[in-house]
């Protein structure tokens, strides 16, 4: 009995060290979003926000503060920011930061691994338009623009960032007081946000291909569930998740995560297994029967080849 109680206390303590929210925010409207010809004369990392983009970011800051202050277990909450080094993301952070007092912000880190997909240097507008049309036919994840990163490349570096993020949390490098709710806010770009979620929730390439880019200053909230899993379905509705491109199975998985324990994950993901296999064999006897049939087929093939 004492061992059970001790384990329960340890579990509760571990949960307290985890961020209450991990929130992804795309930057506000940029000059490049408004007029794509800007990319042909201004380096991508120097593209700035429009006035409308700055207003979007200020509104996002207010929404974030309201969300964090009203959805936590403690009123003594804190935030930590990760931000892409691009001008449009840093400016978005600056406007969002106006909604948080200094005591609420325990830190910020510029993180190059969550930058925009590298499109080379200056972009030729007409060529980029034609290339993006080809990408839609080829598939968005693996398609590589000339002299440009593919989405798969972005996935690799965002995965590396995610591993560092977990080390920061595990080793408490963020210096978080367990009595305070910690909230991580990641200000990045559309593709980086999508592959972050893909990596976190183990979505397949096929599932990624159906996802839509978040809008400017759109907020996607991963909230900590009761058993230590994060879910998009706590803060967001089914309709929102469908609009993002999540399938019914993906939405059900998000709902399951609200109460899930990490140890339950493999038992739950039968739909995930079914996406890789034609069917599931119920017993070892079924496997043996399949082996026998395969051996007979092999003999037939061998005989045919010999004749």
């Amino acid at each position: 009995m004492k061992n059970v109680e001790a384990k329960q206390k340890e579990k509760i303590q571990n949960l307290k060290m985890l961020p209450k929210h991990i929130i992804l925010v795309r930057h506000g409207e940029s000059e490049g979003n408004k007029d794509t010809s800007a990319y042909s004369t201004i380096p991508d990392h120097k593209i700035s926000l429009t006035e409308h983009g700055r207003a979007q970011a200020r509104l996002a800051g207010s929404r974030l503060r309201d969300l964090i202050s009203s959805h936590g277990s403690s009123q003594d909450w804190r935030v930590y920011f990760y931000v892409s080094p691009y001008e449009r993301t840093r400016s978005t952070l600056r406007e969002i930061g106006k909604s948080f007092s200094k005591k609420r912000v325990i830190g910020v880190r510029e993180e190059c691994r969550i930058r925009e997909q590298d499109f080379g240097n200056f972009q030729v507008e007409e060529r980029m338009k034609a290339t993006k049309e080809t990408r839609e036919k080829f598939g968005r994840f693996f398609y590589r623009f000339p002299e440009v990163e593919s989405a798969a490349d972005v996935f690799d570096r965002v995965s590396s960032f995610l591993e560092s993020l977990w080390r920061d949390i595990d080793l408490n490098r963020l210096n978080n007081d367990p009595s305070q709710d910690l909230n991580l806010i990641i200000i990045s770009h559309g593709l980086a946000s999508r592959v972050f979620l893909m990596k976190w929730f183990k979505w397949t390439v096929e599932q990624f291909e159906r996802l839509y880019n978040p809008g400017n200053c759109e907020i996607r909230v991963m909230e900590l569930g009761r058993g230590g899993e994060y879910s998009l379905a706590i803060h967001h509705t089914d309709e929102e998740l469908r609009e993002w491109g999540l399938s019914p199975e993906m939405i059900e998985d998000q709902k399951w995560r609200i109460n899930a324990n990490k140890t339950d994950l493999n038992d739950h993901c039968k739909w995930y297994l079914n996406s890789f296999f034609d069917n599931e064999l119920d017993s070892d006897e079924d496997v043996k029967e399949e082996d026998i049939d395969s051996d007979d087929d092999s003999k037939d093939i061998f005989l045919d080849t010999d004749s």
Side-chain angles (χ1 to χ4, degrees):
M1 185 66 179
K2 288 184 178 179
N3 287 337
V4 173
E5 290 178 354
K7 287 181 179 180
Q8 187 63 23
K9 286 182 180 179
E10 183 181 359
K11 179 181 178 181
I12 292 171
Q13 188 63 28
N14 289 338
L15 288 177
K16 285 183 178 179
M17 295 302 296
L18 294 175
K20 178 67 177 176
H21 300 98
I22 299 175
I23 304 173
L24 302 173
V25 185
R26 187 187 174 200
H27 59 79
E29 181 190 69
S30 71
E31 295 292 350
N33 295 141
K34 187 176 180 180
D35 180 5
T36 55
S37 66
Y39 294 111
S40 63
T41 57
I42 304 172
D44 194 2
H45 65 282
K46 291 185 177 180
I47 296 283
S48 61
L49 294 181
T50 62
E51 282 301 320
H52 179 58
R54 279 186 276 275
Q56 287 178 319
R58 287 192 294 274
L59 179 59
S62 178
R63 288 179 59 205
L64 286 166
R65 180 183 171 83
D66 290 345
L67 184 160
I68 292 169
S69 61
S70 62
H71 287 76
S73 58
S74 167
Q75 286 304 304
D76 193 17
W77 49 267
R78 296 291 185 271
V79 293
Y80 192 99
F81 291 96
Y82 292 89
V83 62
S84 156
Y86 280 35
E87 172 61 29
R88 53 188 178 272
T89 42
R90 287 175 57 100
S91 294
T92 299
L93 170 60
R94 193 170 294 112
E95 299 299 329
I96 285 175
K98 293 175 181 178
S99 292
F100 296 93
S101 62
K102 288 183 178 179
K103 79 168 189 174
R104 297 292 189 183
V105 181
I106 60 173
V108 61
R109 183 180 305 171
E110 182 177 280
E111 178 52 73
C112 285
R113 289 172 292 182
I114 57 172
R115 70 186 184 277
E116 177 63 287
Q117 179 180 13
D118 274 332
F119 284 97
N121 298 314
F122 294 112
Q123 300 173 28
V124 180
E125 188 175 6
E126 287 304 315
R127 187 176 70 179
M128 285 299 297
K129 182 179 178 182
T131 305
K132 287 181 178 180
E133 290 174 357
T134 304
R135 177 182 64 179
E136 292 304 311
K137 298 175 184 177
F138 185 91
R140 290 179 295 165
F141 189 75
F142 292 113
Y143 184 77
R144 185 182 298 280
F145 293 79
E147 304 176 355
V148 176
E149 283 186 307
S150 67
D153 295 325
V154 180
F155 177 90
D156 290 342
R157 57 175 164 84
V158 169
S159 297
S160 170
F161 162 68
L162 205 154
E163 291 167 5
S164 299
L165 179 71
W166 269 117
R167 285 196 295 273
D168 287 346
I169 295 168
D170 287 342
L171 301 175
N172 197 23
R173 290 173 177 163
L174 308 181
N175 298 315
N176 179 52
D177 183 338
S179 66
Q180 301 167 343
D181 277 348
L182 174 62
N183 302 273
L184 303 183
I185 301 177
I186 301 169
I187 302 174
S188 184
H189 307 265
L191 178 58
S193 296
R194 279 180 287 150
V195 297
F196 181 97
L197 294 174
M198 178 188 179
K199 171 66 176 179
W200 188 287
F201 294 118
K202 301 178 177 63
W203 292 340
T204 64
V205 171
E206 182 179 357
Q207 289 169 327
F208 168 85
E209 294 285 357
R210 293 196 294 262
L211 299 177
Y212 295 102
N213 219 28
N216 292 120
C217 273
E218 186 173 336
I219 295 168
R220 298 192 171 178
V221 182
M222 299 163 55
E223 186 165 330
L224 183 65
R226 296 181 183 90
E229 282 289 336
Y230 286 88
S231 173
L232 295 164
I234 299 175
H235 182 77
H236 299 286
T237 64
D238 288 13
E239 184 179 359
E240 284 180 289
L241 299 180
R242 282 193 295 269
E243 288 174 353
W244 299 353
L246 273 70
S247 67
E249 293 83 6
M250 294 163 76
I251 294 173
E252 283 305 309
D253 179 61
Q254 291 300 317
K255 289 180 178 179
W256 173 84
R257 289 171 180 270
I258 296 172
N259 298 302
N261 294 308
K262 289 181 179 295
T263 53
D264 299 333
L265 189 61
N266 289 336
D267 292 336
H268 169 73
C269 285
K270 289 185 179 179
W271 65 268
Y272 189 85
L273 290 174
N274 291 340
S275 68
F276 291 94
F277 301 103
D278 291 335
N279 58 3
E280 288 188 66
L281 301 175
D282 293 326
S283 67
D284 288 341
E285 284 70 24
D286 292 333
V287 175
K288 290 174 184 177
E289 289 177 10
E290 289 285 328
D291 289 343
I292 292 170
D293 291 340
S294 298
D295 289 342
D296 290 342
D297 291 342
S298 298
K299 291 175 184 176
D300 291 341
I301 293 170
F302 181 77
L303 291 171
D304 288 343
T305 306
D306 228 19
S307 60

